[in-house]
Amino acid sequence: VQLVESGGGVVQPGGSLRLSCAASGFTFDDYPMHWVRQAPGKGLEWVSLISGDGGTTYNADSVKGRFTISRDNSKNTLYLQMNSLRTEDTALYYCAQDQSGSYLSWGQGTLVTVSS
Amino acid sequence: DVVMTQSPLSLPVTLGQPASISCKSSQSLVHSDGKTYLNWFQQRPGQSPRRLIYKVSNRDSGVPDRFSGSASGTDFTLKISRVEAEDLGVYYCMQGTHWPYTFGQGTKLEIK
């Protein structure tokens, strides 16, 4: 199993970024997928979830209305569209493979820095 | 949301000695299917989290048997029988019974 995130970078407050997570080594559409973030020196915070077929999504209250999770099962890729970014969104963003109440595998993360 | 409270937040240990981390949930983690979805993750410095334990006491493949998990009601414990240098890092409990999944604050295991 391999999960490789990309798309992070430095953006001004109010700006947008789209993160990607390329998956391999497993049947991608069999698994719900998550985005989990970690602010510098802090703990882990769940951000978004999408079902295997992409038909169901959930977002944390902290990002509701600003972030959109999606997936392209034909490309084995997970996305996170982040709009109206705030300084408190600065974090390392991980994609993670769901397995029945757990995170089975994690990517290496992509860093998002929101700063003026 | 279910609140997961870990203690201690910092755990100085001597190599070769045992270590124990506690995690308490704000409500029962027994799912309607009868299973308890309590996980433990290890995060070494500069690395992504790695799952060690799932459903309270099941070790993942490749996890040394010096790691064990147990439960008593809403209290969960991760034990390391003899700490090795490679065990240093931050440990998180995480519940997957109730939506949304929630993590404990993390316990930093460091050398005394």
Side-chain angles (χ1 to χ4, degrees), chain A residues 38 46 98 100-102 107, chain B residues 37 39 43 48 51 94 99 101:
Chain A
Q38 186 170 36
W46 169 78
D98 186 291
S100 299
S102 186
Chain B
Y37 295 97
N39 309 272
Q43 189 174 32
S48 303
R51 194 177 70 180
M94 187 216 94
W99 189 248
Y101 297 169

Side-chain angles (χ1 to χ4, degrees), chain B residues 13-86:
Chain B
V13 296
T14 301
L15 296 180
Q17 294 300 303
S20 179
I21 300 171
S22 171
C23 176
K24 300 189 180 190
S25 60
S26 61
Q27 58 186 272
S28 171
L29 297 186
V30 180
H31 194 273
S32 56
D33 65 7
K35 299 173 185 175
T36 301
Y37 295 97
L38 187 285
N39 309 272
W40 288 97
F41 293 88
Q42 175 194 60
Q43 189 174 32
R44 292 169 173 155
Q47 295 188 12
S48 303
R50 165 201 179 199
R51 194 177 70 180
L52 299 176
I53 302 278
Y54 60 97
K55 285 187 273 188
V56 179
S57 59
N58 296 275
R59 271 191 309 274
D60 273 278
S61 175
V63 174
D65 61 7
R66 63 179 180 274
F67 289 92
S68 64
S70 63
S72 176
T74 56
D75 293 346
F76 301 89
T77 303
L78 176 70
K79 291 183 178 178
I80 309 173
S81 59
R82 294 173 308 279
V83 173
E84 299 190 5
E86 66 178 15

Side-chain angles (χ1 to χ4, degrees), chain A residues 1-5 21-26 28 33 76 95 97 105-108:
Chain A
V1 172
Q2 192 170 20
L3 300 170
V4 180
E5 301 94 336
C21 170
S24 60
F26 64 101
F28 185 61
M33 295 292 295
N76 287 355
C95 63
Q97 179 190 17
S105 301
W106 299 67
Q108 85 290 347

Side-chain angles (χ1 to χ4, degrees), chain A residues 72-104:
Chain A
D72 186 336
N73 286 343
S74 68
K75 295 181 178 179
N76 287 355
T77 302
L78 175 72
Y79 302 100
L80 185 68
Q81 177 66 44
M82 303 187 297
N83 299 329
S84 302
L85 282 160
R86 304 168 180 167
T87 55
E88 56 264 35
D89 295 320
T90 294
L92 189 60
Y93 284 74
Y94 295 102
C95 63
Q97 179 190 17
D98 186 291
Q99 186 200 44
S100 299
S102 186
Y103 297 118
L104 179 58

